Amino acid sequence: MKKIDKSSTNSSSLLLNKTSRRDFFKKAAVYSASAVAASSLLSPVKLSAEEKDDKFITEEQPWATSLGYELNKNPYGVPSPYEHNVVRRTTPLLSSAGDMHAAISVTPLQDLKGIITPNGLFFTRTHNGVARIDPNKHRLMIHGMVKNPIVLTMEDIKKYPSESVIHFLECPSNGAAEWKTPQFDSLQFVKGMMSCTEWTGVRLKTILEDVGVDPKALWMLAEGGDGSSMSRTIPVEKAMDDAMIVYAMNGEALREEQGYPVRLLLPGWEANLSVKWLKRLEFGDKPWYCKEETSKYTTLLPTGKAIQHFYPLEVNSIITSPCPEKPWTDLKKGDIVEIEGLAWSGKGTITHVDISFDGGKNWVEAKLKGLVLPKAWTRFSYIYKYEGKELLLESRATDDSGDTQPTINQEKKIMGVEGVYHRNSINTWYIKANGEVHNAQMRS
Amino acid sequence: MLKCVHKTISVGVATLVLTSISAFGAFDGKKDAVDGGMIYPRKNGVYTVYRYNDQNISHFNYGRKPTANELKAWDTDIRPDGVGLPKGKGTVARGDELFEEQCAVCHGDFGAGGLGYPTLTGGDRASLTNQRTPGKTDAPKRTIGTYWPKASTLLWYIHDAMPYSHPKSLSWDDTYAITAYLLATNEIQLDGKDMDDDTVLSNENFLKIKMPNADGFIPNIDGPNGVKNVKAFLSDGKNIGAVGVRCMKDCKDDGAKLVVVKDPRTDVNPPFAEARDLPKKPKDTSVKPGQEEYEKSCAVCHGNDKMGAPEVGNKEAWAKVMKKGIDKVLATAIKGTGAMPPRGGSSYSDDKLKQIIEYMYSKSK
C-alpha cells in the first residue's frame, strides 16, 4: 500500500480536496481535457485516498436506488443475465458434417463450483436428436429371461422406494480429440464431456427381484425410446449391483437432453451405457452386439484388435483453476493462490490427488475437499505461492481400486493413439511467465 | 497469512506418508466388480456414505404383464445367433436403388463417405493397425467390411435407426435389400460366395454371412463364460492401459517432451467468452411457422452446404430456387429431386411443405 500524502491526512483538508477535485473533473470533462493532462495537473495529490476509492462503494448504484423486479417474474428461475457466457458449447469437429442431432455439447467446467453440475449445463450426447417424450405415454417393458415380465408406467416407476445418489457421467470420448496432440486451448473442450449430479430413482435390483431374473441370464439389453433406439448390452451383475432407473436429477425431473422421463444409470461406466429415454430391458443368455458396442464404443488397439465391453471410466483428474479460460494473468509474484480441480474414478473412490509443477518429475499431495464419494467428482485443492515463473502444472489421481492415472507415454504404449475412447492420462497446463495458461502434453 | 499457508503445505507433505499406507478399500469396498473396480457393501441401511431404507422390501407387484402383441411390437432386436430375425428378403439390386434414394445423401455414393457422415465401405482390414504417430498420416479404416463383427447389427440398426431423419420407416424387405447392398459393396461373402446384383438376402440365408472382422474384438464375450472373461480382462490393468505409478520424486517418463497446443481450434459455438456482462441483445426465441418441421426433417441436408442441397442462409442459392416460383418449388419438394426423397422423406401435407419452404426462404434473404 502506498502512503497517503501528508497534506491530505486531516479530515478537513480531505473534504476540501474532494470538493475541488470533483469540480476539476467536471471541468475536465466539459473541456475534454486529456487524462494525461489531468494527472500531470494533479501530480502533487495523485496518491490521495480518494483516487483509490472504488466508486462502486462510494457512489450509490442503480440496483440500490430502485425497485427490483417482481420476485416471481421467472416462475422457473434463470441465472443472472451476467452469467450468459456460462453455457454448454459445441464444435463441428464433434459431429457429422456440423449436424447437431448426433453430436455432443460440453460442460463449462471452468465455471463450475463444487461437485454438482446444474441441470442446464449437463453435457449432452445424442444419436438422433433430443427426443421429446410425453411422460403419460411412456412405458418401460422388462421381459426376456424373467419369471414375471412387466410393463411399467412412469407412475408405477415412481411408486418404488426411491434412492438418491451423486454420480458423474462421462462420455468415453472425453478428451478423444487429443490422443495425438493437443487441439483445444480450453478446459471446456479438453475435459467437458462429463457432469456430476444427484440422481433419484429406484435401484434396478429392487424391480428385478420382483420380476425374477432367470439365474441363467447373463446379459441385459437396454433400449432407448429415441429415434435411434439407442441400445446396449449390460452384464446382469451390474444390474444387480449399483444400477438404477432414474427419473430425477438435482431434485427435479430429468432434462430432456438427459433422457426425460426416465433413463438407466450405471454408475462409473461409459455414459453411453446409461441409456436415455429408457423403454425396454430384455434379459438373455447371450450378448446382443448392438451398433454402439461394435462399430462404435470399441477401442481399437495398435495390434488391430479392439476392446469391446470396456465399461468403467478409469481414474482421472483435471486442474480447473487455473485453466486456459481462467489464467493467472492477474497474479503478481508472491501472491497466494488456490489450485483447484476435479478427480473422479468409475472404478471406485478417489484416495489421493498429487500435483506436479515441473511436468511430472516431482509431485506433492493435494488436499481432497468436500464430499468424497464413490464414482463421483471429488474436489482437490492445493494452496500455492505464485512465483511468476513458467510452470508445467499437472494433477494425478489415485483411486481405492489401486489405479493411478498413467502418463501419456504409459497409456500410449498399450492403447496407441487410434482407440478414440477411454483416454485418462495426465493432463498438463503450460503456465507462461505472464500467467497465461495453455493446453499442453508431456509426451514423445 | 503467509505463515499460515506454509504450515498447511508442510502438513500436507507429512500426511502424505500416513495416508498412502492405508490407501485402498474406502468404505470396506472390495475389488471384485465386473468392471475390475470396487464393490461396496450395502449393510444395515448404510451404503458407503449413504443411508437407505432397509426395511424388508420386496414384492411390490407394480405394473402389469405385457400382452403378446405388445411384446411383438417392441421385441424387435436381432441377435447374431438369429434370434429375432424377422421374415423378409431383398436383392442387392433393390438395395442399390434404395441406398441411392435414401442413404447416399449422407453416406455418399456406394457408402464411400466424404460428406461428413460415417463411411460405410472401402478400406482394408490391414489398416486397423495404422497409428497416426508423427510422420504417419494413414488412419485405420473402420467400415462394415473392415470392422463390424456381426451382420445382425447392420440389419437391426438400419431398421430401427435409419434413415437418420425418419427412422423406422423402412419395411423389413427393404432393410434386407439395403443390408444386402452394403454387404456386397463391402465384398462380404454369403455362403462362401461373392454377392452380385441378383443375390437375395433373407431370413433363410442370413446366418451364412461371414463378417471379415468377426474375430477382431477382445475379450471373448460369447458363451457361458462371456461375463467372466470381461471381468478378468478389465481386472488386469495391462490390458487397458491402467498402468500408472504413484511416483513422488525424480519420476522418469521416457522421452516425454513438452508439446504446447498450436493453432488451437476456435470453431466452437457459442464462441469462447468468459466475461460477466450483459448479453448483446435478447435472442428471438419465438418459433416461426414451419421452423420446427424444418429443423426436424430438412435441416440435416439443408442446414449445411456439404450435401448438395440449397443451404438455408445462402442468399444466392435460394434466390435461384425461388426464381422458379413457389408452386414449382413445392411441386419439386413433393416429388423429390436428386438425392432428396419425396417430401424430404416426411409425410407432411402440401400446405405444411409450403410453410416450410417459406420459412427456409425467409431465413435465406
Side-chain angles (χ1 to χ4, degrees):
Chain A
M1 228 188 164
K2 279 169 189 166
K3 277 184 187 165
I4 293 169
D5 193 299
K6 265 190 180 168
S7 67
S8 58
T9 43
N10 76 54
S11 60
S12 62
S13 75
L14 240 169
L15 213 93
L16 206 90
N17 192 6
K18 197 171 181 176
T19 319
S20 63
R21 274 166 47 79
R22 277 201 179 153
D23 284 345
F24 172 81
F25 280 120
K26 264 188 205 157
K27 280 172 195 155
V30 169
Y31 299 117
S32 316
S34 76
V36 177
S39 67
S40 65
L41 273 171
L42 278 171
S43 57
V45 288
K46 70 175 174 190
L47 300 176
S48 70
E50 299 76 37
E51 246 189 0
K52 293 180 178 302
D53 287 347
D54 184 343
K55 68 175 178 185
F56 303 118
I57 295 173
T58 56
E59 293 172 13
E60 290 291 2
Q61 297 302 310
W63 47 83
T65 53
S66 62
L67 191 55
Y69 62 80
E70 280 186 353
L71 63 91
N72 209 29
K73 179 186 167 197
N74 302 308
Y76 190 97
V78 293
S80 161
Y82 286 94
E83 298 292 317
H84 72 101
N85 284 325
V86 183
V87 288
R88 295 180 287 221
R89 290 185 164 84
T90 60
T91 171
L93 179 70
L94 306 169
S95 77
S96 292
D99 170 60
M100 287 297 154
H101 294 86
I104 192 157
S105 71
V106 288
T107 291
L109 300 177
Q110 68 275 17
D111 293 304
L112 294 192
K113 306 296 171 196
I115 59 168
I116 297 293
T117 309
N119 289 344
L121 297 176
F122 204 99
F123 87 97
T124 303
R125 167 76 167 111
T126 62
H127 293 77
N128 196 275
V130 176
R132 172 153 295 172
I133 292 181
D134 179 344
N136 305 295
K137 297 175 184 169
H138 189 74
R139 305 286 182 266
L140 172 61
M141 188 185 284
I142 305 177
H143 68 111
M145 291 173 69
V146 299
K147 236 183 255 152
N148 313 302
I150 50 169
V151 172
L152 297 167
T153 63
M154 284 309 300
E155 294 298 310
D156 293 331
I157 294 170
K158 289 179 179 174
K159 275 193 282 184
Y160 287 100
S162 72
E163 286 187 33
S164 298
V165 284
I166 296 173
H167 288 301
F168 74 84
L169 277 186
E170 181 184 19
C171 175
S173 290
N174 202 8
E178 315 225 308
W179 275 105
K180 297 170 200 81
T181 195
Q183 289 211 60
F184 289 97
D185 207 12
S186 148
L187 168 60
Q188 185 165 6
F189 280 90
V190 167
K191 277 283 179 281
M193 292 183 200
M194 61 166 180
S195 299
C196 186
T197 222
E198 187 200 53
W199 306 96
T200 299
V202 50
R203 291 227 319 152
L204 183 51
K205 193 181 177 192
T206 304
I207 302 179
L208 296 184
E209 279 170 352
D210 265 14
V211 169
V213 178
D214 185 328
K216 285 197 207 82
L218 293 173
W219 303 99
M220 174 180 85
L221 175 74
E223 184 183 85
D226 65 321
S228 75
S229 298
M230 229 296 300
S231 50
R232 293 285 305 248
T233 303
I234 295 143
V236 170
E237 229 175 295
K238 180 71 171 179
M240 292 297 192
D241 180 18
D242 55 359
M244 292 182 71
I245 304 282
V246 298
Y247 41 78
M249 55 197 291
N250 293 335
E252 64 177 1
L254 293 181
R255 290 294 168 94
E256 286 180 326
E257 297 98 315
Q258 272 63 57
Y260 180 87
V262 66
R263 80 181 297 170
L264 185 63
L265 178 73
L266 302 181
W269 286 17
E270 296 185 334
N272 178 262
L273 283 149
S274 288
V275 174
K276 299 194 272 198
W277 310 292
L278 185 68
K279 72 173 231 193
R280 193 162 74 91
L281 296 172
E282 180 176 355
F283 288 81
D285 57 353
K286 292 175 184 168
W288 270 264
Y289 289 87
C290 306
K291 187 247 183 183
E292 310 298 352
E293 58 201 24
T294 52
S295 93
K296 297 285 180 333
Y297 299 91
T298 45
T299 306
L300 183 59
L301 299 169
T303 58
K305 299 275 184 206
I307 300 175
Q308 58 186 348
H309 288 249
F310 192 168
Y311 311 124
L313 280 323
E314 301 139 277
V315 66
N316 213 333
S317 71
I318 187 82
I319 290 170
T320 58
S321 178
C323 66
E325 291 96 329
K326 305 277 180 197
W328 276 351
T329 42
D330 61 334
L331 292 189
K332 296 182 306 293
K333 193 179 166 187
D335 281 355
I336 302 298
V337 64
E338 183 184 23
I339 296 168
E340 219 192 333
L342 289 168
W344 65 101
S345 169
K347 286 170 78 172
T349 308
I350 294 297
T351 54
H352 307 287
V353 179
D354 305 310
I355 304 246
S356 172
F357 297 90
D358 58 6
K361 283 189 196 72
N362 296 287
W363 297 83
V364 289
E365 182 163 20
K367 298 285 182 181
L368 304 186
K369 61 177 189 176
L371 295 168
V372 179
L373 305 171
K375 304 173 188 181
W377 278 357
T378 301
R379 281 274 170 193
F380 63 86
S381 163
Y382 187 87
I383 293 164
Y384 175 67
K385 187 175 166 191
Y386 181 63
E387 292 168 8
K389 286 194 303 197
E390 256 187 30
L391 297 172
L392 298 174
L393 192 60
E394 298 182 343
S395 64
R396 179 188 67 189
T398 299
D399 69 19
D400 62 344
S401 83
D403 283 357
T404 294
Q405 262 182 279
T407 65
I408 290 178
N409 281 351
Q410 284 169 341
E411 185 175 43
K412 192 166 64 120
K413 207 170 163 190
I414 295 171
M415 307 303 286
V417 295
E418 301 289 355
V420 182
Y421 308 99
H422 291 263
R423 187 174 161 264
N424 74 318
S425 51
I426 293 164
N427 186 79
T428 307
W429 294 141
Y430 167 54
I431 310 210
K432 290 170 74 169
N434 66 3
E436 276 177 34
V437 180
H438 295 290
N439 186 23
Q441 296 184 348
M442 293 301 295
R443 67 182 303 150
S444 53
Chain B
M1 190 188 175
L2 255 179
K3 251 187 183 167
C4 212
V5 170
H6 279 303
K7 247 184 208 162
T8 315
I9 291 167
S10 62
V11 168
V13 173
T15 47
L16 169 99
V17 184
L18 294 172
T19 45
S20 50
I21 294 166
S22 55
F24 310 125
F27 314 120
D28 294 325
K30 261 203 296 202
K31 194 177 163 176
D32 194 30
V34 64
D35 59 8
M38 304 300 287
I39 282 205
Y40 300 107
R42 279 170 72 92
K43 253 198 319 219
N44 306 325
V46 179
Y47 172 69
T48 66
V49 296
Y50 300 97
R51 300 290 189 95
Y52 64 93
N53 183 341
D54 66 339
Q55 282 172 274
N56 192 16
I57 44 172
S58 61
H59 303 294
F60 295 95
N61 299 318
Y62 299 151
R64 62 167 178 83
K65 208 177 154 184
T67 68
N69 279 333
E70 288 168 348
L71 278 164
K72 203 175 137 199
W74 273 15
D75 188 4
T76 57
D77 52 82
I78 305 169
R79 276 196 332 207
D81 60 0
V83 170
L85 257 186
K87 272 196 182 143
K89 60 172 191 292
T91 61
V92 171
R94 173 72 183 133
D96 189 354
E97 280 169 29
L98 286 163
F99 190 87
E100 210 171 294
E101 266 172 41
Q102 307 222 30
C103 319
V105 63
C106 289
H107 295 291
D109 291 337
F110 317 110
L115 299 169
Y117 287 85
T119 302
L120 304 177
T121 56
D124 183 343
R125 253 188 96 205
S127 76
L128 296 182
T129 55
N130 287 355
Q131 294 282 315
R132 279 170 288 173
T133 46
K136 293 182 185 163
T137 52
D138 288 339
K141 301 280 190 310
R142 278 164 271 208
T143 64
I144 294 164
T146 64
Y147 198 66
W148 289 46
K150 305 288 178 191
S152 56
T153 311
L154 195 56
L155 190 73
W156 176 20
Y157 180 73
I158 292 171
H159 185 263
D160 273 16
M162 288 289 132
Y164 186 42
S165 60
H166 40 112
K168 302 178 185 71
S169 60
L170 292 166
S171 69
W172 279 114
D173 281 350
D174 286 353
T175 310
Y176 273 105
I178 293 172
T179 305
Y181 171 72
L182 284 170
L183 294 171
T185 49
N186 275 289
E187 295 170 5
I188 291 166
Q189 292 193 323
L190 176 67
D191 204 7
K193 280 178 257 163
D194 289 341
M195 297 172 75
D196 57 32
D197 276 2
D198 301 326
T199 306
V200 179
L201 184 66
S202 74
N203 51 301
E204 301 286 328
N205 61 9
F206 194 84
L207 295 183
K208 290 174 179 162
I209 300 163
K210 174 121 179 41
M211 295 299 275
N213 197 40
D215 61 356
F217 295 81
I218 48 171
N220 178 11
I221 57 172
D222 296 323
N225 291 322
V227 175
K228 278 186 199 142
N229 292 342
V230 172
K231 184 173 175 177
F233 185 86
L234 294 176
S235 297
D236 184 349
K238 289 194 292 299
N239 291 326
I240 55 170
V243 291
V245 182
R246 196 163 174 249
C247 159
M248 299 304 284
K249 271 208 173 338
D250 300 321
C251 313
K252 271 188 206 147
D253 187 10
D254 292 337
K257 287 195 188 77
L258 176 67
V259 181
V260 181
V261 66
K262 241 202 282 177
D263 306 320
R265 301 188 71 103
T266 53
D267 51 343
V268 307
N269 185 37
F272 290 120
E274 286 297 316
R276 292 300 187 273
D277 56 8
L278 290 173
K280 293 260 151 41
K281 57 176 177 212
K283 275 183 211 146
D284 182 8
T285 52
S286 60
V287 178
K288 308 277 184 303
Q291 181 180 348
E292 210 173 299
E293 293 81 3
Y294 161 74
E295 280 162 6
K296 212 172 160 66
S297 306
C298 318
V300 171
C301 299
H302 286 279
N304 61 62
D305 62 357
K306 296 194 177 62
M307 312 290 261
E311 183 192 7
V312 168
N314 183 334
K315 277 188 209 171
E316 240 173 85
W318 275 86
K320 216 173 118 192
V321 170
M322 294 309 283
K323 231 166 74 186
K324 296 177 210 155
I326 180 75
D327 291 341
K328 273 209 169 147
V329 178
L330 178 62
T332 309
I334 291 167
K335 225 172 69 204
T337 173
M340 176 176 168
R343 292 173 201 272
S346 76
S347 50
Y348 298 135
S349 68
D350 295 1
D351 284 351
K352 179 53 81 182
L353 282 173
K354 194 173 167 193
Q355 211 178 49
I356 297 170
I357 294 165
E358 277 162 355
Y359 169 76
M360 291 163 79
Y361 184 43
S362 76
K363 300 298 275 183
S364 313
K365 281 198 235 192

